[in-house]
Amino acid sequence: MLPYAAYLRVYEPLAAFTPSERLSWAAYAEATDRPRRASALHAEHGEAVRRLLGVPPTPAPAQESPNAYLRRVEEVLYVCPWQSRLRSWLAFSRFRGTTPVRLMERFVPISVAEQTADDFDRFKRRSDSTALRTNIRGSTWHIPTSWFIPFDGNERWLVLDGDKQSEGTTTTRNLIYVTSMAHARRRSARALQIIRRQVGEASVTAEVEDVARWLEEFHPHSLVELDYGGIVNLMDDETLQADQSVAELAAALTGLESGEEELAFAMYQRVILRWRSIQLLESAN
């Protein structure tokens, strides 16, 4: 929900939901007042800012968001719920677990922090494990290397300022990849096999394994999307056009598999150095 954040999303078909949820999401898709794709990120970010700037700040919304990102493919509706409350709870838990108490007080009063934690604990006690599964993962100031693996370079969709869709409507500047769950799982499994064989157990192995396990939690006919989101605001058009991180990482894996170690290293370094330079902007004046 931050302005410089990218997102990895899973859109599940209506068949993945309960009968009552199917009816609800089908009606939501027909609603004329729901947030549209072009403005959804702004709407999410606006909600978060208003909560955090309140007095006192509210780390998580009181109710779960009724909104979702939607896609239609060959008349099949795919749904990716925002899950704003759950994602806020999880993010706040991570923040609270890594922030000293004295510093924490500068952001959120202790009473508010404790109430938020208690609310989340009650939710976890009365829910099963699937209730804690999020359809959206976010990353600020950079995109983890493991997020590129489920995709192919030909699945790249780049929109720059002034680009128009076939209907003539201007779209939001962005870079997106979309693939089927079957392709995403197969590519992740192949990458894990290559990395384990050629590199062994390393941090990159754990990161790829984590994404692969996460993908296994969803309906097999889902769609997987990598959305550069607000990260594009850190890149000019030329940089965005030159970004071929998915294809370069695929070439690195192919090089490892075929024994072309120099090619593999060169391609991997291109990806790492590109995203390291972007991540450094977080600490720039």
Side-chain angles (χ1 to χ4, degrees), residues 154-202:
N154 293 323
E155 294 161 346
R156 183 175 184 264
W157 185 59
L158 173 64
V159 178
L160 300 176
D161 288 330
D163 285 356
K164 296 181 181 296
Q165 294 178 311
S166 57
E167 306 89 32
T169 56
T170 302
T171 57
T172 304
R173 183 174 181 270
N174 208 351
L175 178 54
I176 292 174
Y177 289 83
V178 181
T179 194
S180 69
M181 181 61 78
H183 283 143
R185 289 177 177 175
R186 184 162 57 248
R187 290 164 186 156
S188 297
R190 172 179 174 265
L192 268 176
Q193 186 178 49
I194 294 171
I195 295 169
R196 283 172 176 158
R197 185 171 59 243
Q198 302 296 335
V199 180
E201 295 299 324

Side-chain angles (χ1 to χ4, degrees), residues 134-168:
T134 59
N135 286 60
I136 303 175
R137 290 189 166 192
S139 175
T140 56
W141 295 97
H142 81 297
I143 298 178
T145 306
S146 56
W147 286 18
F148 298 118
I149 286 175
F151 305 94
D152 180 85
N154 293 323
E155 294 161 346
R156 183 175 184 264
W157 185 59
L158 173 64
V159 178
L160 300 176
D161 288 330
D163 285 356
K164 296 181 181 296
Q165 294 178 311
S166 57
E167 306 89 32

Side-chain angles (χ1 to χ4, degrees), residues 199-210:
V199 180
E201 295 299 324
S203 59
V204 65
T205 311
E207 292 170 7
V208 176
E209 192 172 42
D210 177 59

Side-chain angles (χ1 to χ4, degrees), residues 233-276:
N233 297 319
L234 301 173
M235 308 164 76
D236 59 26
D237 283 359
E238 184 178 353
T239 303
L240 206 53
Q241 287 175 314
D243 182 344
Q244 295 287 343
S245 297
V246 167
E248 290 163 358
L249 197 57
L253 288 168
T254 299
L256 271 180
E257 188 176 35
S258 61
E260 299 176 88
E261 295 181 0
E262 289 188 6
L263 171 64
F265 180 77
M267 291 293 99
Y268 184 69
Q269 281 296 104
R270 287 183 67 171
V271 177
I272 293 299
L273 293 176
R274 173 184 298 118
W275 288 100
R276 185 176 296 163

Side-chain angles (χ1 to χ4, degrees), residues 91-111:
F92 185 71
S93 294
R94 290 191 294 269
F95 176 68
R96 193 182 186 206
T98 57
T99 306
V101 175
R102 290 184 179 180
L103 182 58
M104 185 76 183
E105 292 177 351
R106 298 183 181 180
F107 294 97
V108 181
I110 294 299
S111 60

